Amino acid sequence: MNKLLKTVLLFSAAISIIPSGTAFADDKLETATTKFVDANGVKFSYRTLGPKAGTPLIFLQHFTGNMDAWDPAVVNALAKNRPVVVFNNRGVGSTNGVVADNITQMTTDAYAFIQALGYKQVDLLGFSLGGFIAQELAAQHPELVRKVILAGTTYQGGGNNLMKVLGEAFSRENVQDPRDYLFFSQSDAGKQAAAAFLSRVYARQAGRDPESGKEIADAHGKALIVWTSTPDPEFKTLKAIQQQVLVVTGSNDTMLPTEGSITLFKEIKNAQLVLYPDSNHGSIFQYHDAFVNTADFFLSH
Amino acid sequence: MNKLLKTVLLFSAAISIIPSGTAFADDKLETATTKFVDANGVKFSYRTLGPKAGTPLIFLQHFTGNMDAWDPAVVNALAKNRPVVVFNNRGVGSTNGVVADNITQMTTDAYAFIQALGYKQVDLLGFSLGGFIAQELAAQHPELVRKVILAGTTYQGGGNNLMKVLGEAFSRENVQDPRDYLFFSQSDAGKQAAAAFLSRVYARQAGRDPESGKEIADAHGKALIVWTSTPDPEFKTLKAIQQQVLVVTGSNDTMLPTEGSITLFKEIKNAQLVLYPDSNHGSIFQYHDAFVNTADFFLSH
């Protein structure tokens, strides 16, 4: 090949793939190395993806969820344009310690974990119970938290149908994984999306996080139920959140009702609301492409 | 310049600008040629932008609005990936005929206009009163209408505060253009967005559409008030809409209350809802970049 042409083509390829001044860490949740960092007396397990430069996006996980419970379609896509960090709360997955049973402890731990990584400013994506932690962190640490995505979540005192819907999910015959019922609508489209989601979250072979058992379910269940049952009639936490917030959920979030997301939108000063059709608690997984498109724009502008 | 390098650079420039197999018509609303087509006994004025290939996006305009009332930042950006058509309703701007005073007539005319252009399938973006026409077209012509964007609008019988808010808008001193008050929030950010919007809509110099006067305001006001005051308690129109719909408005739509958009989302089978913070009726102009990002994805997937 002509040397000049080769140089031009290589240069073009380089500028289209690699952001200037950055190096890539892992780029897939399914194969990313699990690392550890000490904070608050706990050895936190975590994985980092994406470029090293940019405001890191910290994922805050749902009730009983470990790192492998995140949807690679969401995590990997959002890691294209920024560093992404997933981790396990105290006592969950490959993080040691006694599992926390309240949102205050989880918030303190998440803050300590972020500090231990040395980040001065981060964005947050909190899903379900992780959204409670994201609200608390944003309200308490405005200097640390830049932007927040609240997915499938609600406000303090917003109520929940956790026990009822969990009961329904497990009362079915041949339950392989309850998330097909808990996260997705039961339409044909919802069922197809559930199957695709489950194949994605089980794609990782080596070094999967330990699954959660009864101890974690009990502690996290208590944390979720107490927080969503403790009224905050003046919305003090929401009123303290001055950051840009993106609120997202499904048209029929059965565990944390959709109306709670509408309230988050109304009571947070600078919130955008996105509600997806024919969907449930896990709408960001059912509509992962559309969600990533909106979330990436929200984080980048 | 080296001939080979020049060829490579020209080729690179070409593939980055021109989609394969298409030719560009005009690419800016501010300079696009005004054309005419006969339909339903009326000579409709219209402009087309963007590539010739793809499902055309037809813009349906608000109460009294002519073609130059569209925001070039929205129209031009959406015309990058599809043909876009703006036009004037009967008796508005450079379209002749007696101005229509009801949504039924406007829907019949819009359908005839689209047929006259020879399109077999289209997408619709209906803003405010244009959203009423979009709902009627989608419900009545499922074979013609593929996807629908409903911006700053409501459902039949959803009520309105048109006269009150118009009165407020015009009761201020030194009103240059009431849209700063009607379309935007009154925060500093809203006022800045309003000024930017007005500079964009007044950018066109040559061949501007004639402005609307009292006759159009009276007829369109009647159409808007009658349609939003005529109950459709079983949501027959909304239930008939099977297409994918994107519903968008501001956190505080003062003329057509935001709650109406939440109802559109709840009652249309396949609707996504987007509500922007600190915004009013014209949220798609205030957040034009974010809206275009979401709308372009919605139309393209």
Side-chain angles (χ1 to χ4, degrees):
Chain A
M1 194 186 290
N2 175 296
K3 195 177 169 186
L4 177 59
L5 177 59
K6 198 171 172 181
T7 305
V8 169
L9 290 179
L10 282 173
F11 180 70
S12 302
I15 55 171
S16 68
I17 296 172
I18 304 180
S20 60
T22 64
F24 274 76
D26 290 305
D27 65 350
K28 283 190 181 174
L29 178 65
E30 306 93 308
T31 51
T33 308
T34 298
K35 299 180 279 191
F36 294 90
V37 65
D38 291 313
N40 249 12
V42 171
K43 192 179 284 289
F44 285 92
S45 56
Y46 69 103
R47 299 180 194 147
T48 54
L49 301 174
K52 288 187 179 171
T55 304
L57 174 63
I58 315 291
F59 279 64
L60 299 161
Q61 186 57 294
H62 67 81
F63 162 84
T64 73
N66 62 24
M67 293 191 288
D68 288 313
W70 286 114
D71 187 345
V74 168
V75 174
N76 299 350
L78 287 175
K80 282 186 183 153
N81 292 326
R82 63 194 58 73
V84 156
V85 180
V86 299
F87 76 106
N88 286 313
N89 267 307
R90 181 189 291 260
V92 177
S94 41
T95 293
N96 68 3
V98 177
V99 62
D101 68 355
N102 64 86
I103 302 302
T104 301
Q105 179 71 57
M106 293 176 186
T107 302
T108 303
D109 287 338
Y111 182 75
F113 166 73
I114 294 166
Q115 295 294 108
L117 292 187
Y119 294 131
K120 300 298 180 203
Q121 196 174 47
V122 297
D123 296 333
L124 303 175
L125 187 159
F127 173 48
S128 193
L129 175 145
F132 311 163
I133 303 168
Q135 291 171 57
E136 297 284 2
L137 281 173
Q140 294 171 28
H141 301 287
E143 78 298 342
L144 177 68
V145 179
R146 191 186 68 131
K147 297 187 182 191
V148 183
I149 299 173
L150 298 176
T153 192
T154 194
Y155 56 97
Q156 187 190 315
N160 74 82
N161 298 316
L162 183 69
M163 302 313 288
K164 172 179 175 285
V165 180
L166 272 176
E168 292 167 1
F170 281 103
S171 69
R172 300 169 303 154
E173 290 185 5
N174 301 316
V175 176
Q176 302 290 317
D177 186 309
R179 287 176 290 183
D180 64 334
Y181 190 86
L182 300 174
F183 287 1
F184 295 87
S185 67
Q186 297 306 300
S187 67
D188 287 348
K191 286 177 180 173
Q192 282 177 24
F197 166 80
L198 290 175
S199 77
R200 292 194 297 270
V201 293
Y202 286 113
R204 186 183 181 106
Q205 301 293 322
R208 283 189 71 86
D209 244 345
E211 294 294 330
S212 296
K214 183 175 182 306
E215 187 193 354
I216 295 171
D218 287 349
H220 282 195
K222 179 182 168 192
L224 190 151
I225 290 169
V226 168
W227 198 82
T228 58
S229 306
T230 304
D232 179 11
E234 293 175 7
F235 299 111
K236 277 188 189 165
T237 302
L238 302 188
K239 294 301 180 199
I241 297 174
Q242 302 292 311
Q243 294 95 332
Q244 284 185 52
V245 177
L246 174 63
V247 179
V248 186
T249 197
S251 54
N252 181 29
D253 191 324
T254 52
M255 284 189 290
L256 299 179
T258 305
E259 291 299 327
S261 286
I262 296 176
T263 299
L264 286 171
F265 165 73
K266 287 182 177 173
E267 300 298 337
I268 295 172
K269 183 181 174 188
N270 196 351
Q272 179 187 158
L273 177 68
V274 174
L275 300 179
Y276 290 109
D278 180 29
S279 51
N280 195 338
H281 197 56
S283 70
I284 66 169
F285 311 135
Q286 185 162 340
Y287 293 93
H288 55 86
D289 283 339
F291 168 68
V292 166
N293 176 66
T294 293
D296 188 66
F297 187 94
F298 170 76
L299 296 171
S300 301
H301 289 83
Chain B
M1 194 186 288
N2 174 293
K3 196 179 167 186
L4 177 58
L5 176 59
K6 196 172 174 182
T7 305
V8 170
L9 290 178
L10 282 173
F11 179 69
S12 301
I15 54 170
S16 69
I17 296 172
I18 304 182
S20 61
T22 63
F24 273 75
D26 290 305
D27 66 351
K28 283 190 181 173
L29 179 65
E30 305 93 308
T31 50
T33 308
T34 298
K35 299 180 279 193
F36 295 90
V37 64
D38 292 313
N40 249 12
V42 171
K43 191 179 284 290
F44 285 93
S45 54
Y46 70 103
R47 299 179 193 148
T48 55
L49 302 173
K52 288 186 178 172
T55 303
L57 174 63
I58 315 290
F59 279 64
L60 298 160
Q61 186 58 294
H62 67 82
F63 162 86
T64 73
N66 61 25
M67 293 190 287
D68 289 313
W70 287 114
D71 186 345
V74 169
V75 174
N76 298 350
L78 287 176
K80 281 184 184 153
N81 292 326
R82 64 195 54 78
V84 155
V85 180
V86 299
F87 76 107
N88 287 312
N89 268 306
R90 181 189 290 263
V92 177
S94 41
T95 293
N96 69 2
V98 177
V99 61
D101 68 356
N102 64 86
I103 302 302
T104 302
Q105 177 71 56
M106 293 176 186
T107 302
T108 304
D109 287 339
Y111 181 75
F113 166 73
I114 294 166
Q115 295 294 108
L117 292 186
Y119 294 131
K120 300 299 180 201
Q121 196 173 45
V122 298
D123 295 333
L124 303 175
L125 187 160
F127 173 48
S128 191
L129 174 145
F132 310 162
I133 302 169
Q135 291 171 57
E136 297 284 3
L137 281 172
Q140 294 172 28
H141 302 287
E143 79 297 342
L144 177 68
V145 179
R146 191 186 68 133
K147 298 188 182 189
V148 183
I149 299 172
L150 299 176
T153 191
T154 194
Y155 57 98
Q156 186 189 314
N160 74 82
N161 297 317
L162 183 69
M163 302 313 288
K164 171 179 175 289
V165 180
L166 272 176
E168 291 166 2
F170 281 105
S171 70
R172 299 170 302 154
E173 290 185 6
N174 300 318
V175 176
Q176 303 288 317
D177 186 308
R179 288 176 289 183
D180 64 335
Y181 189 86
L182 301 174
F183 287 1
F184 295 87
S185 67
Q186 298 305 299
S187 67
D188 287 347
K191 286 177 181 173
Q192 283 177 25
F197 167 80
L198 290 174
S199 77
R200 293 194 297 269
V201 294
Y202 286 114
R204 186 182 181 106
Q205 301 294 322
R208 283 188 71 85
D209 244 347
E211 295 294 331
S212 295
K214 183 175 182 304
E215 187 194 352
I216 295 172
D218 287 349
H220 281 194
K222 180 182 167 191
L224 189 151
I225 289 168
V226 167
W227 198 83
T228 58
S229 307
T230 303
D232 179 9
E234 294 176 6
F235 300 112
K236 277 187 188 166
T237 301
L238 302 188
K239 295 299 181 200
I241 298 174
Q242 302 292 310
Q243 294 95 332
Q244 284 186 53
V245 176
L246 174 64
V247 179
V248 187
T249 198
S251 53
N252 180 29
D253 190 325
T254 52
M255 284 189 290
L256 299 180
T258 305
E259 290 298 326
S261 286
I262 296 176
T263 298
L264 286 170
F265 164 73
K266 287 182 177 172
E267 301 298 337
I268 294 172
K269 183 181 174 189
N270 196 349
Q272 179 188 159
L273 178 67
V274 175
L275 301 179
Y276 291 109
D278 180 28
S279 51
N280 194 340
H281 198 56
S283 70
I284 65 169
F285 311 135
Q286 185 162 340
Y287 293 93
H288 55 87
D289 283 338
F291 168 68
V292 166
N293 176 66
T294 293
D296 189 66
F297 187 93
F298 170 76
L299 295 171
S300 300
H301 291 82

